[in-house]
Amino acid sequence: MSIQHYAPGEVINISPDGAKFESAKSETLVRESHIEVFRFILNAGKTTPEHTAAGAVTIQCIEGEVELNLAGQIRILKANTLVYLSAGASHTVKALSDSTLLITILLQRE
Amino acid sequence: MSIQHYAPGEVINISPDGAKFESAKSETLVRESHIEVFRFILNAGKTTPEHTAAGAVTIQCIEGEVELNLAGQIRILKANTLVYLSAGASHTVKALSDSTLLITILLQRE
């Protein structure tokens, strides 16, 4: 994942890659003490390892279609849909087609 | 703003309203102890009062075009763009056309 962070107030383009998907790369957009936002590219057929976000998380599908497995409960996320997961919710994500997700993690660092 | 909250894992449609914009209403999508997500409708020409989010915030433009005024610095947000603001950043938002924003606020409640 390439390192590319934006400053507060900077306008960040999160458009679908569409025909340019082949050259798209995952990137971290924001990394601050209490929030991380990243744009995650997942090619069709790929599945993430089972993982738990470091805090509450929203997962927004920007393009494509993914299958979200929440401890056996399956949710399908298409473009323009969003889910919220509580901190500690274990999950995997499988791309049913070439997909881009916008992940926003709330870090509870004390 | 109507009250409508979704449970963790529930799939939330955040598509542009398009031709149905006239009947669109702002709604709270998620309201948990550390995060709030809401879908904010702002008609063309309307401006919010100057305000400060309760925590760090991301503002994503889903449709339309808004002018974000950050203490005098102007940013234009079109559909498929996002900005991050640090906690306490005072701002106003003016809709240049009928617009829908997705607002994610990180609440630092101790």
Side-chain angles (χ1 to χ4, degrees), chain A residues 68-80:
Chain A
L68 180 67
N69 186 326
L70 300 166
Q73 292 188 53
I74 303 296
R75 300 284 184 271
I76 303 297
L77 290 187
K78 300 183 181 186
N80 297 319

Side-chain angles (χ1 to χ4, degrees), chain B residues 11-30:
Chain B
V11 178
I12 307 169
N13 181 7
I14 56 165
S15 296
D17 290 300
K20 294 179 292 180
F21 187 88
E22 285 302 313
S23 61
K25 286 190 169 54
S26 295
E27 61 175 332
T28 299
L29 304 175
V30 175

Side-chain angles (χ1 to χ4, degrees), chain B residues 9-86:
Chain B
E10 199 169 347
V11 178
I12 307 169
N13 181 7
I14 56 165
S15 296
D17 290 300
K20 294 179 292 180
F21 187 88
E22 285 302 313
S23 61
K25 286 190 169 54
S26 295
E27 61 175 332
T28 299
L29 304 175
V30 175
R31 184 171 200 150
E32 298 275 347
S33 57
H34 290 287
I35 182 174
E36 281 187 22
V37 181
F38 60 98
R39 197 172 181 285
F40 182 56
I41 305 293
L42 199 61
N43 289 78
K46 296 284 185 186
T47 303
T48 67
E50 186 161 12
H51 63 287
T52 303
V57 62
T58 62
I59 303 174
Q60 178 183 336
C61 184
I62 291 175
E63 69 191 306
E65 185 172 356
V66 301
E67 180 186 280
L68 181 66
N69 186 326
L70 300 166
Q73 292 188 54
I74 303 296
R75 299 283 184 273
I76 303 297
L77 290 187
K78 300 183 180 185
N80 296 320
T81 63
L82 174 82
V83 294
Y84 161 74
L85 303 182
S86 302

Side-chain angles (χ1 to χ4, degrees), chain A residues 53-74:
Chain A
V57 61
T58 62
I59 303 173
Q60 177 184 335
C61 185
I62 291 176
E63 69 192 305
E65 184 172 357
V66 300
E67 180 186 281
L68 180 67
N69 186 326
L70 300 166
Q73 292 188 53
I74 303 296

